[in-house]
Amino acid sequence: MDLFGHIEPAVTNATALDGVRLLKALALPQEAALLADVERVLAAAPLRHMVTPGGFAMSVAMSNCGELGWVTERHGYRYDGWDPLTQQAWPLMPASFAVLSQQAATLAGYPDFVADACLINRYQVGARMGLHQDKNERDFSQPIVSVSLGLTATFQFGGFKRSDKALSFPLYHGDVVVWGGAARLRYHGVLPLKAGMHPALGESRINLTFRKAG
Ligand code: MD3
Ligand code: FE
């Protein structure tokens, strides 16, 4: 099967995509359960625009569920078991999230993956995420599983230096990607979300990232 059928052949580079496993539309059969569970989590732990150590509010609104949540504040980034906004534990990881992330990881060759953290990113039109590495987790041999819902994003996938040239490819509603091995420490980001209307999520995109953080 051509796992990257929607990436332009000109930019498809076998080495750059080492460790990346795209599972197109894997989330679609569970779409309704996932969206209902996103709503339940966000009712208990509201989306917020976190502030980076540089002092800027992120354009992406975030929340978390699971044992640990990713947090940035003026004094730095961390994983924390407590939501600084509500001063409560993060909501439990819904079963629909745990099942899908484990299914994806197993398909990608990580049958023992159990996420203890799920970051929920909500993009409205114009929201973006600059090129960065995910380095706050303890064990980089553990993959990250991402689930895209709603409007299509243009994802950027770079090298091991911020200045390395990045590939761009779309992530569609229902796409699940497992980022392991050599992919795990590559720079990546999301271009500003383009205007559009998604039948289930309106003018927005939700991305779930599952991690073994602790
Ligand atoms: C490649 N989120 O939350 S998901 C993030 O669409 C993040 O919201 C983006 O980058 C989003 O940190 C991208 C795809 C993704 C997530 C983590 C990765 C790709 C990754 C970690 C390492 C390499
Ligand atoms: Fe990231």
Side-chain angles (χ1 to χ4, degrees):
M1 184 170 70
D2 178 10
L3 292 172
F4 281 90
H6 67 278
I7 304 179
E8 289 182 43
V11 298
T12 305
N13 174 317
T15 302
L17 294 174
D18 260 7
V20 181
R21 182 71 187 275
L22 173 62
L23 300 159
K24 271 198 74 61
L26 185 71
L28 287 187
Q30 296 304 319
E31 170 184 359
L34 292 167
L35 292 175
D37 285 333
V38 167
E39 285 311 307
R40 281 199 306 111
V41 168
L42 297 182
L47 290 167
R48 79 291 306 259
H49 293 274
M50 296 183 193
V51 175
T52 64
F56 295 97
M58 298 184 75
S59 60
V60 178
M62 297 178 163
S63 186
N64 292 278
C65 62
E67 263 173 74
L68 293 171
W70 186 83
V71 177
T72 176
E73 290 177 313
R74 205 52 238 248
H75 45 271
Y77 312 112
R78 67 181 185 280
Y79 281 96
D80 200 313
W82 292 81
D83 179 348
L85 183 65
T86 64
Q87 300 190 303
Q88 296 183 56
W90 297 104
L92 294 178
M93 180 96 64
S96 67
F97 288 22
V99 167
L100 178 62
S101 60
Q102 276 164 50
Q103 181 193 11
T106 298
L107 288 168
Y110 298 94
D112 300 327
F113 179 75
V114 179
D116 57 16
C118 173
L119 173 64
I120 301 176
N121 292 330
R122 196 277 317 272
Y123 295 74
Q124 290 179 318
V125 174
R128 58 186 288 277
M129 193 176 285
L131 283 176
H132 67 278
Q133 292 173 296
D134 289 22
K135 291 193 301 192
N136 296 129
E137 302 76 24
R138 239 178 251 291
D139 180 1
F140 300 139
S141 74
Q142 294 284 329
I144 292 179
V145 176
S146 71
V147 178
S148 291
L149 297 166
L151 290 179
T152 304
T154 303
F155 179 75
Q156 292 192 294
F157 194 53
F160 300 102
K161 298 198 303 278
R162 194 189 302 277
S163 58
D164 288 345
K165 193 175 156 42
L167 304 176
S168 292
F169 55 90
L171 288 175
Y172 296 105
H173 178 68
D175 286 353
V176 180
V177 190
V178 182
W179 313 85
R184 182 63 183 75
L185 287 171
R186 284 186 182 268
Y187 276 86
H188 58 278
V190 177
L191 292 182
L193 189 71
K194 288 191 238 147
M197 183 59 67
H198 187 272
L201 280 161
E203 296 182 286
S204 71
R205 167 176 189 260
I206 297 265
N207 184 266
L208 310 175
T209 55
F210 295 93
R211 299 180 168 85
K212 172 86 183 73

